[in-house]
Amino acid sequence: MEKFVIRGGRPLVGEVTIGGAKNAAVAILPATILAGGVCVIDNLPNISDVAVSVRILAELGASVRMLSKTAMEIDTTHLRPEPVSDELCRQMRASYYFLGALLGRFGYASVAMPGGCNLGTRPIDQHLKAFREMGAENSVEGGYINLSTVNGVQEAHIFFDTVSVGATINAILAAACANGTVVLENVAKEPHVVDVANFLNTCGADIRGAGTDVIKIRGTKNLHGCEYSIIPDQIEAGTYMVGAALTGGNVLIRNVTPKHLEPITDKLERAGASVEEYDDAVRVWRSGEIQPVNIKTAPHPGFPTDMQSLMGVLLCRAAGTSIITESVWESRFRYVEELQRMGANIQVNGKVAVFEGVPELQAAPVRATDLRAGAAMIMAALAASGVTEIEDIEHIDRGYEDIVEKLTALGADIRRVEFVQSAGINQVG
Ligand code: UD1
């Protein structure tokens, strides 16, 4: 097993380059199935969720070749619509995109139940509702979700009951090659939803309205391969922005889309950080005190729930009281207990947490309770006095590429250490 060992107290200073968006990559990789040809995907992040998506494609018969550190050629011409195994699906939430992609190309799909971060109940009723309205029967047998149609995906007008990123993207995937037009209403508008639509349009699909409340898809047969570069990761960028603000550092964050960062930039500036925007970079620094800020998470363009724990760490050190309201997930304050070990003063009541700023965080043994909470623990450790050890870091590897190398280049003291867990004693190896 591995853990991070971090000596805190050094400001992050320098430059960091952001990778491709995890949440776009894990949808665009299954979407290559619809192309039924050769796609070259660039700006792929080097993270374990991408590795799992690629393994699923390979198991289904796609041929996959790395062209560079970030570019991959994927040929889905001879891909077979076989069941997608439980072992791989359990490792990430986004395995459910293979449902929409296989259904869209072959008219049927069988995919094991998805895994992913534990953020409370994570239903997929809206995905299944969309598939049903497009003519797909669904059943769950032996842990697999099975979808089948009589004559492929049919035209439909779907109104989602709740705004869901996953259901929106899955419906787009299923509808891209439909027999007719599919209209989706009350959809998610996240940048990665737009990126998936742009990728499919580059493959010859006819998808309009992504990024607005209504998406219209005219089903197109015979999509083809293409070359496509994935958008930069909004949350990885936000993580380094918080790191710069929290540690009182000064970081130029390259390969970002500043427009996608606006909700984060706004809260950081209110918290006393300075943010300067360039065409494809932002610089973040802080010299004065951290100010308290109230935050309510919401679907895009609201404040992203995936940044909630990271902003929480910053507000632990504010000069006053801040309130964070989590309105997307039912259980996303599990990291609070870990921060309390480090001396944070936080009270949680359901979906609301009250952060009383403290003058200092102190090192403690903590855990990454999920992907973003894990990144938040790293940031807390960077700002704390002493040496913090973080376990369960496989969650962090799902979504952050080269995090040790990137933070080290910014002056952090962070090491990845192997250890053997035996009878409650950690032996560092
Ligand atoms: C995606 C992101 C995740 C982010 C979340 C919200 C990926 C791989 N993951 O997750 O990092 O936190 O968006 O921005 O892109 N819901 C239902 N029924 C459904 C689907 C969702 O009730 O069928 C509810 C969920 O319980 C949740 C809310 O809708 O309360 C939003 O979920 P959704 O947008 O679907 O999140 P994911 O796509 O799973």
Side-chain angles (χ1 to χ4, degrees):
M1 294 172 86
E2 293 181 325
K3 62 184 170 186
F4 288 137
V5 178
I6 299 170
R7 181 180 294 280
R10 299 179 176 202
L12 296 183
V13 177
E15 295 185 13
V16 64
T17 300
I18 298 306
K22 163 187 163 292
N23 289 348
V26 295
I28 287 173
L29 288 168
T32 62
I33 292 174
L34 293 159
V38 181
C39 295
V40 173
I41 309 295
D42 203 354
N43 207 28
L44 269 176
N46 181 18
I47 53 175
S48 65
D49 271 12
V50 161
V52 172
S53 302
V54 171
R55 273 183 64 197
I56 295 176
L57 283 170
E59 282 202 359
L60 294 175
S63 67
V64 178
R65 194 160 64 99
M66 253 354 251
L67 301 178
S68 71
K69 190 172 177 240
T70 57
M72 188 178 279
E73 182 186 83
I74 300 157
D75 183 353
T76 58
T77 312
H78 303 296
L79 184 130
R80 302 171 301 268
E82 289 169 358
V84 180
S85 75
D86 181 64
E87 185 240 327
L88 291 171
C89 288
R90 263 181 201 281
Q91 295 181 37
M92 65 169 188
R93 186 76 189 156
S95 51
Y96 55 37
Y97 289 137
F98 284 89
L99 281 169
L102 290 168
L103 179 69
R105 175 157 164 198
F106 298 103
Y108 58 93
S110 178
V111 177
M113 291 282 199
C117 291
N118 179 0
L119 312 175
T121 319
R122 296 187 77 170
I124 56 164
D125 57 299
Q126 296 302 304
H127 303 235
L128 298 179
K129 165 180 158 153
F131 296 146
R132 215 166 28 244
E133 294 197 16
M134 287 186 258
E137 291 293 321
N138 70 73
S139 63
V140 177
E141 282 167 60
Y144 280 73
I145 303 163
N146 302 314
L147 301 174
S148 61
T149 58
V150 178
N151 284 317
V153 172
Q154 305 303 324
E155 64 181 7
H157 194 124
I158 299 159
F159 194 97
F160 289 106
D161 302 333
T162 184
V163 176
S164 158
V165 172
T168 302
I169 292 178
N170 240 339
I172 292 173
L173 295 173
C177 307
N179 304 315
T181 298
V182 175
V183 178
L184 309 175
E185 292 206 51
N186 196 27
V187 292
K189 297 180 279 218
E190 268 66 2
H192 39 287
V193 173
V194 179
D195 210 32
V196 175
N198 286 343
F199 164 73
L200 287 169
N201 284 341
T202 313
C203 294
D206 184 351
I207 303 166
R208 295 173 197 202
T212 73
D213 290 316
V214 184
I215 298 176
K216 190 170 176 183
I217 304 144
R218 284 209 182 85
T220 313
K221 304 296 174 191
N222 303 321
L223 298 189
H224 50 75
C226 73
E227 289 186 18
Y228 194 79
S229 184
I230 290 173
I231 55 167
D233 196 301
Q234 177 200 33
I235 308 300
E236 188 196 13
T239 302
Y240 289 99
M241 291 170 81
V242 166
L246 176 68
T247 60
N250 186 329
V251 180
L252 181 66
I253 300 160
R254 294 188 181 278
N255 187 35
V256 301
T257 306
K259 178 92 191 136
H260 296 166
L261 301 175
E262 277 172 4
I264 303 165
T265 299
D266 176 64
K267 291 297 177 190
L268 282 177
E269 286 180 333
R270 286 171 197 272
S274 302
V275 182
E276 203 164 273
E277 293 184 1
Y278 308 95
D279 285 349
D280 61 355
V282 289
R283 179 180 291 284
V284 182
W285 71 98
R286 177 179 62 82
S287 34
E289 278 192 328
I290 299 171
Q291 300 302 320
V293 178
N294 294 340
I295 293 174
K296 185 173 183 184
T297 65
H300 191 78
F303 188 85
T305 170
D306 289 353
M307 285 296 302
Q308 189 254 99
S309 53
L310 288 145
M311 284 301 288
V313 173
L314 183 73
L315 299 177
C316 282
R317 294 277 290 98
T321 308
S322 311
I323 297 175
I324 295 186
T325 308
E326 172 57 54
S327 65
V328 176
W329 295 111
E330 70 177 17
S331 167
R332 210 165 190 180
F333 285 120
R334 290 168 68 230
Y335 68 94
V336 161
E337 215 173 289
E338 304 300 309
L339 281 181
Q340 284 166 338
R341 291 171 196 271
M342 299 179 76
N345 183 354
I346 309 165
Q347 304 300 323
V348 179
N349 187 357
K351 291 185 160 196
V352 178
V354 179
F355 291 69
E356 292 289 349
V358 293
E360 187 186 64
L361 293 174
Q362 299 113 31
V366 292
R367 291 181 181 278
T369 53
D370 64 54
L371 165 59
R372 304 303 170 187
M377 286 307 131
I378 292 181
M379 294 302 136
L382 293 175
S385 59
V387 178
T388 297
E389 298 196 353
I390 306 174
E391 290 188 19
D392 295 344
I393 62 171
E394 65 282 358
H395 291 297
I396 302 170
D397 292 333
R398 287 189 36 232
Y400 286 90
E401 64 172 22
D402 303 335
I403 193 159
V404 170
E405 292 76 6
K406 288 184 182 185
L407 285 171
T408 303
L410 293 173
D413 183 347
I414 173 170
R415 284 180 303 133
R416 183 188 287 268
V417 172
E418 276 188 27
F419 70 97
V420 182
Q421 200 163 35
S422 61
I425 302 164
N426 293 341
Q427 299 162 356
V428 175

